[in-house]
Amino acid sequence: MSIYHQQPIGFVSQVTLQVIDLEKSVNFYKNVLRMKVDQHDASTAHLSANGRDTLISLIKLENGVKKQSRRTGLYHLALLLPNRKELGKILQYFIDQKVPLQGASDHGISEAVYLTDPEGNGIEIAADTDPSTWKWVNGQLDVFSDNGPMDVRDVLNHADKEPYLNLHEDTIVGHIHLHGSELKNTRKFYEEGLGMDVVIDLPYQALFFSYGNYHHHLAVNVWNGIGALKPASNSVGLGHFEIVLPIYISMDQIKQNLRKLNFDFKDADHKILTQDPSGNSIVIKK
């Protein structure tokens, strides 16, 4: 597993999505992405790569409405593969099965392909590059000099003609990328409230946050517009996501930070329930 996605470093562990057609969504994650369905009843489904650790939970909406445009919420969740070979295998499978893709990029820090689930929830499937090649300048990552289209042929060659059968068991949630309504208070919330570092700052566009010098565990953009509204509670999209804190930050410290910054939160079963300034719901735990 990535050293950036286990303690002592903090990370995003899982994401809950709200959907209208639960069976159609389960079919996509099970038969297209080939994830494991660990639990499934009439209202929920829990999906993993290894049969144990839930990465994505699906919640069936009652009287749900389709994903609304120009709202805050999920931009995409990233499933992080353990290596480039696995990325090549799944990319060849997508090509062979004619799975619609929205793009393929080389960010320098990672290579990724993009698609959506049947209800419009964005998914990135990525493999990190060698962290020793990441370019740090004054505590921030340079993601501009190497950013460009993926060398698809080279990635496919790394598959070594091995077939894609299932999502690799070491796949994890690499990061979550959110639509936000503004950036000033967002920075305070994640940086001063949750103790994350800003590692990429795209002025007036987006902020990228991480623990432990990862390229990002979380990002927030304002590409849906400053002042974008929170989606309706019965809208398809993000339910909540979970953050596991680094060992050096206590739950009490988070509560103290949030109180100081006047952000609301609730205690619930050794977890903290809160929302960022754009209304994105978060469960914080150790």
Side-chain angles (χ1 to χ4, degrees), residues 99-112:
V99 176
L101 299 179
Q102 296 181 323
S105 299
D106 181 350
H107 300 296
I109 52 176
S110 65
E111 295 173 293

Side-chain angles (χ1 to χ4, degrees), residues 21-22 72 77 80 87 100 118 124 145 159 161 196 206 223 232 247 260 263-264 283:
D21 190 332
L22 181 62
T72 63
L77 65 91
L80 181 65
L87 182 61
E124 173 182 336
S145 58
K161 297 184 179 179
M196 305 183 86
W223 299 330
I247 61 170
K260 182 178 179 181
F263 290 117
D264 294 332
V283 174

Side-chain angles (χ1 to χ4, degrees), residues 9-123:
I9 294 174
F11 55 96
V12 174
S13 60
Q14 59 180 281
V15 180
T16 295
L17 302 175
Q18 301 184 152
V19 301
I20 295 174
D21 190 332
L22 181 62
E23 294 308 312
K24 188 174 183 179
S25 293
V26 168
N27 180 69
F28 170 82
Y29 287 98
K30 178 182 179 181
N31 297 319
V32 178
L33 295 191
R34 298 192 173 176
M35 298 182 73
K36 291 180 170 60
V37 181
D38 299 330
Q39 293 177 284
H40 182 198
D41 58 30
S43 60
T44 61
H46 300 291
L47 307 154
S48 73
N50 61 13
R52 301 182 305 275
D53 303 309
T54 297
L55 303 180
I56 300 172
S57 293
L58 303 175
I59 306 296
K60 179 179 173 63
L61 289 164
E62 296 300 329
N63 302 313
V65 297
K66 292 183 179 180
K67 193 174 180 72
Q68 300 168 289
S69 63
R70 313 294 290 182
R71 295 292 193 274
T72 63
L74 183 71
Y75 180 51
H76 64 239
L77 65 91
L79 294 173
L80 181 65
L81 302 171
N83 53 56
R84 201 172 190 229
K85 180 177 184 176
E86 291 301 319
L87 182 61
K89 287 165 61 176
I90 198 170
L91 178 56
Q92 185 65 66
Y93 161 77
F94 286 154
I95 293 170
D96 293 343
Q97 298 298 316
K98 296 181 172 57
V99 176
L101 299 179
Q102 296 181 323
S105 299
D106 181 350
H107 300 296
I109 52 176
S110 65
E111 295 173 293
V113 295
Y114 299 88
L115 66 163
T116 65
D117 74 6
E119 303 205 9
N121 294 304
I123 302 167

Side-chain angles (χ1 to χ4, degrees), residues 71-76 176-183 186 202 204-209 218-226 228 276 278 280:
R71 295 292 193 274
T72 63
L74 183 71
Y75 180 51
H76 64 239
I176 188 167
H177 193 149
L178 305 168
H179 285 298
S181 60
E182 56 83 56
L183 295 177
T186 294
L202 303 181
Y204 311 108
Q205 293 190 62
L207 292 167
F208 294 70
F209 302 89
L218 183 146
V220 182
N221 71 63
V222 289
W223 299 330
N224 274 348
I226 300 295
D276 74 7
S278 301
N280 297 305

Side-chain angles (χ1 to χ4, degrees), residues 5 25 46 64 125 137 157 167 230 236 276 281:
H5 296 84
S25 293
H46 300 291
I125 299 180
V137 180
N157 285 341
L167 194 65
K230 180 181 175 181
V236 163
D276 74 7
S281 295

Side-chain angles (χ1 to χ4, degrees), residues 224-244:
N224 274 348
I226 300 295
L229 299 176
K230 180 181 175 181
S233 60
N234 64 334
S235 169
V236 163
L238 180 66
H240 69 268
F241 63 96
E242 298 193 2
I243 291 179
V244 177

